[in-house]
Amino acid sequence: MTAASSREGGIEAGSLSTVEAYQAAILSEIRPLAPVSRELADAEGCVLAEDVTAAVSLPSFDNSSMDGYAVTAADVAGASKSSPVRLRVTGEIAAGDIGVYRLVPGTAIKIMTGAQIPAGADAVVPVEWTDDGIATVEIYRAADAGNAVRYTGGDAAAGETLLTAGVRMRPMQIAVAASAGRKAVSVRPQPRIVVLSTGDELTEPGTPLVAGRIWDSNSYMIAACAREAGAVATRRAVVPDDPAGVLPALLEQIGHADILITTGGVSMGGEHDVVKAALRELGTVTFRKVAMQPGMPQGFGVIGEDRVPIFTLPGNPVSAYVSFQLFVRPAIAALQGTSDRSLPKLQASLTAPVRSPEGRRSYLRSVLDGSKVTPLTGQGSHQIAALGRANALIIVPEWETQLPQGDTVDVLVLP
Ligand code: AMP
Ligand code: MG
């Protein structure tokens, strides 16, 4: 065992959870959502719950990849600028034309991109190699057999699997499903997330502030985080610090949510920690300290008959943000049966020294620029202005209390 991992192990044995242990505890409780049928127009961001196979060959008929003239390669074999081949043009085939055409050897048929290759033709001479003639055409260059022809099945064979279950429906995959003739697909939908912030001090942005109050930023931020992470998110009006009001406010949302998220009210033991007080009674939500900074106080569990997962994030905005990215984000993917949404982690060199409390993993707001990362001034968990300047989080391991300029560190790239 290395020195580092034994020290890590020591933390796990203590009263604090490691980040990984807490992530694992959450994921072990998440069951993927049941598949539903979604029309393609509504399938973006959903995760396929079935394989999609090609109903027909792609393309399903030989067609031209260019505007030009369908010919036989043999007829144009000797064509050059100084000695053009002249052919009579006997017709024209446009894309979508379902007529039956046959090329008579020694003639040409004008053809458009995507139009069927007429029987008897084996090549297309692009219009750029000709005089663009109407009744007859002069051809200045030889075309090999198969030139500018897209053959049946050249993209995929009939019955071939085009998309496998577990793939997220991004625009490319929607195009594939449509090209396979599918009107709807079986998917795990985007999880529905309801966000509630708690606190008597919270005022709705856009309304005047009186001394002692702050504008609610968490509910807007976390709802936006959830959308970015692939969920459908709604925020609810602020819940006051009234112990009797919190649980009803949460239970009211249960039918609308695949995940509930609260912020605030879970600090380390004050009587105003109404979220903790209300949920503790239920016995299905666990509160623990995670060996990280920001974001030490965390709560997760299930509520209601449907056992809806609930995250109680800390109130400080930066803590709530980091907690979302570490704990809620993987849970959203897990509800869709995937793990494709984790934040990119890379290494960069510190442009300035950093500090971190012993025994806790720090996630420092920073600016990543190529292979260099600069910690921002203002690492307090309330310092939302610094968060607004960050594009990355520097990870300082639990066993480090300071790292010098020039050290290589792990960095999480923020979405
Ligand atoms: P709490 O966890 O409720 O004790 O809150 C911790 C800190 O976060 C306090 O300074 C709160 O004012 C602040 N806070 C709580 N909720 C929000 C919110 N929705 N928006 C901005 N700050 C908040
Ligand atoms: Mg509070």
Side-chain angles (χ1 to χ4, degrees):
M1 197 185 253
T2 65
S5 68
S6 74
R7 265 172 286 175
E8 222 172 352
I11 285 156
E12 195 144 7
S15 64
L16 301 181
S17 284
T18 61
V19 169
E20 284 75 17
Y22 186 50
Q23 284 169 331
I26 291 165
L27 289 181
S28 72
E29 294 285 331
I30 302 282
R31 301 280 163 272
L33 297 172
V36 295
S37 175
R38 275 283 165 87
E39 298 216 349
L40 288 190
D42 301 319
E44 193 191 342
C46 298
V47 171
L48 263 187
E50 60 166 340
D51 290 349
V52 171
T53 55
V56 295
S57 302
L58 298 180
S60 59
F61 56 94
D62 295 349
N63 65 90
S64 178
S65 70
M66 299 190 83
D67 292 344
Y69 296 85
V71 296
T72 63
D75 281 342
V76 299
S80 68
K81 191 84 204 176
S82 56
S83 133
V85 168
R86 179 184 292 271
L87 299 175
R88 190 161 60 85
V89 179
T90 63
E92 179 174 325
I93 314 174
D97 187 334
I98 55 171
V100 177
Y101 295 89
R102 168 163 287 280
L103 181 79
V104 176
T107 68
I109 296 178
K110 188 152 198 194
I111 192 164
M112 303 301 153
T113 304
Q116 293 190 59
I117 301 287
D122 64 3
V124 171
V125 178
V127 69
E128 293 84 351
W129 301 359
T130 73
D131 69 348
D132 199 13
I134 294 166
T136 61
V137 60
E138 270 196 2
I139 292 166
Y140 305 125
R141 227 173 114 171
D144 295 334
N147 189 68
V149 178
R150 304 192 285 212
Y151 287 108
T152 303
D155 191 8
E160 192 175 320
T161 300
L162 302 176
L163 300 171
T164 44
V167 157
R168 193 175 291 278
M169 295 298 281
R170 298 162 67 205
M172 305 81 95
Q173 289 72 37
I174 288 175
V176 170
S179 302
R182 297 294 298 265
K183 178 181 167 67
V185 281
S186 172
V187 293
R188 293 190 203 282
Q190 292 178 290
R192 299 161 306 158
I193 293 193
V194 176
V195 183
L196 300 95
S197 46
T198 67
D200 282 345
E201 74 277 34
L202 301 179
T203 301
E204 197 48 46
T207 62
L209 206 58
V210 294
R213 301 282 173 95
I214 58 171
W215 283 302
D216 167 27
S217 57
N218 285 351
S219 63
Y220 289 99
M221 169 180 70
I222 295 299
C225 283
R227 281 182 209 112
E228 189 284 324
V232 176
T234 40
R235 65 173 284 280
R236 291 287 149 208
V238 168
V239 181
D241 285 326
D242 164 17
V246 171
L247 198 51
L250 287 170
L251 293 174
E252 205 180 289
Q253 299 304 326
I254 274 182
H256 314 292
D258 301 310
I259 289 182
L260 284 168
I261 303 176
T262 63
T263 74
V266 293
S267 310
M268 303 325 286
E271 65 200 54
H272 300 286
D273 293 336
V274 290
V275 172
K276 207 178 210 176
L279 292 176
R280 213 167 226 154
E281 272 172 39
L282 293 180
T284 55
V285 180
T286 307
F287 295 91
R288 63 192 109 187
K289 296 183 192 175
V290 178
M292 61 188 278
Q293 181 172 287
M296 184 169 69
Q298 298 288 340
F300 174 78
V302 294
I303 65 169
E305 266 173 34
D306 293 337
R307 301 181 61 78
V308 177
I310 179 166
F311 289 84
T312 68
L313 303 184
N316 274 308
V318 182
S319 309
Y321 178 82
V322 171
S323 304
F324 177 93
Q325 299 301 355
L326 294 181
F327 306 122
V328 186
R329 194 177 177 84
I332 293 172
L335 277 174
Q336 293 193 289
T338 76
S339 56
D340 67 345
R341 283 284 167 103
S342 46
L343 297 181
K345 194 198 263 188
L346 44 82
Q347 294 203 313
S349 122
L350 284 174
T351 65
V354 293
R355 294 179 163 282
S356 171
E358 167 139 43
R360 295 218 253 153
R361 189 181 307 175
S362 287
Y363 292 89
L364 304 175
R365 277 69 69 206
S366 59
V367 176
L368 177 69
D369 183 8
S371 62
K372 297 201 178 304
V373 67
T374 303
L376 286 160
T377 305
Q379 293 290 337
S381 57
H382 64 293
Q383 288 182 292
I384 194 99
L387 181 65
R389 294 183 192 107
N391 65 5
L393 297 173
I394 294 169
I395 304 176
V396 185
E398 292 82 335
W399 55 90
E400 302 285 6
T401 54
Q402 48 190 354
L403 296 174
Q405 176 184 344
D407 249 28
T408 298
V409 287
D410 285 336
V411 172
L412 282 181
V413 181
L414 299 179

